Amino acid sequence: MNHEKVEKLRKNPFGKIIVKLGGKILRCFNLYKTHRKFRWMTKQMNMIDPAQDKRPKYWKKCGVDTTGNFRVGYGVYFDAGNASHIHIEDGVWITSRCLLLCHKRDLANYLVGDDINNMPYIIADIRIGKGVHIGMDTVIMPGVTIGDGAIIGAGSLVTKDIPSYTLAVGRPAKIVKEFPRCSEITPSVVSNNISI
Ligand SMILES: CC(C)(COP(=O)(O)OP(=O)(O)OC[C@H]1O[C@@H](n2cnc3c(N)ncnc32)[C@H](O)[C@@H]1OP(=O)(O)O)[C@@H](O)C(=O)NCCC(=O)NCCS
């Protein structure tokens, strides 16, 4: 509506009300549009992978049980809907493109003709011990506990518990090495190292 028409409307009592109401409705509509835009922006921001130093804090905010003293690489996905089922201790390194899953379908009663989408979920905790190193592109399945100091090779699929200070690799991950304690290193090995 142009300025002249508005002035004309203002001259009669009914027109005055229409102009007043119209202005209010327009302001409300603009406010609603701004609010929608703000919500959309917030949603987009949440989808952006935060900077490396902010990722542990972001995970903690999402509900992951941790002090936040661990490292996360690029594109690591965790079960955000079940974040409280993820427990991460200090010094853990979750390298890029890993995936931490806390839920899966319960197939105990799945029969021919059933719809998988109607099967109940099993939700189980993931526990990652102190100083664990998880290689790139690894998937950690629900219910898995990885002991302190364990190392998971790149591209592994961890379906079962991994004991402390072991090396596990493969899909599914298998233990291929148990790291020795300092006291277990024989003197001959030490002297061999020195001679080299
Ligand atoms: C698992 C890992 C720690 C082993 O390192 P390593 O002790 O130097 O072992 P080697 O490279 O000598 O390999 C030993 C054996 O394991 C195998 N292997 C190594 N890494 C493997 C992996 N990720 N998956 C499957 N097998 C693997 C090797 O083929 C070799 O097998 P062989 O004895 O039959 O020949 C390492 O290979 C790895 O995957 N590190 C993670 C890398 C990563 O994610 N980097 C990103 C950091 S930001």
Side-chain angles (χ1 to χ4, degrees):
M1 204 181 287
N2 64 32
H3 190 69
E4 266 176 36
K5 271 187 184 168
V6 172
E7 285 307 310
K8 219 175 174 183
L9 265 175
R10 270 198 180 129
K11 274 177 192 157
N12 75 64
F14 275 121
K16 228 177 188 177
I17 294 167
I18 288 168
V19 170
K20 246 188 179 173
L21 272 177
K24 270 193 181 160
I25 289 167
L26 206 70
R27 267 199 298 279
C28 280
F29 182 66
N30 282 341
L31 210 73
Y32 172 70
K33 255 180 30 186
T34 317
H35 177 70
R36 283 283 300 253
K37 198 172 163 189
F38 180 72
R39 268 184 54 186
W40 181 83
M41 271 167 58
T42 316
K43 216 171 156 192
Q44 296 305 308
M45 289 290 282
N46 285 341
M47 284 160 74
I48 294 167
D49 191 8
Q52 193 172 353
D53 57 333
K54 294 200 177 91
R55 278 174 213 149
K57 285 178 202 151
Y58 175 74
W59 284 41
K60 207 176 159 188
K61 251 188 189 169
C62 291
V64 171
D65 171 32
T66 174
T67 59
N69 191 13
F70 67 102
R71 288 199 289 165
V72 183
Y74 288 106
V76 176
Y77 285 86
F78 64 97
D79 205 332
N82 299 302
S84 62
H85 292 271
I86 301 172
H87 312 273
I88 301 175
E89 298 215 23
D90 290 351
V92 169
W93 203 164
I94 305 170
T95 62
S96 301
R97 300 215 318 257
C98 285
L99 172 63
L100 278 71
L101 270 180
C102 293
H103 73 277
K104 61 180 177 183
R105 297 279 181 181
D106 185 358
L107 302 180
N109 299 316
Y110 186 55
L111 303 170
V112 173
D114 280 347
D115 181 351
I116 177 82
N117 299 303
N118 296 332
M119 301 313 288
Y121 280 115
I122 296 175
I123 296 170
D125 290 23
I126 287 177
R127 292 177 192 278
I128 305 176
K130 272 189 196 132
V132 166
H133 185 288
I134 304 175
M136 279 177 78
D137 223 0
T138 291
V139 178
I140 313 284
M141 292 300 283
V144 162
T145 295
I146 305 177
D148 295 353
I151 295 169
I152 313 295
S156 299
L157 173 66
V158 188
T159 55
K160 294 201 171 81
D161 291 356
I162 306 293
S164 298
Y165 286 95
T166 56
L167 169 63
V169 296
R171 300 176 85 89
K174 300 269 181 232
I175 295 148
V176 291
K177 189 174 182 175
E178 286 178 23
F179 294 100
R181 289 175 185 276
C182 191
S183 56
E184 286 169 13
I185 302 173
T186 54
S188 62
V189 173
V190 174
S191 62
N192 275 351
N193 280 349
I194 291 165
S195 65
I196 289 166

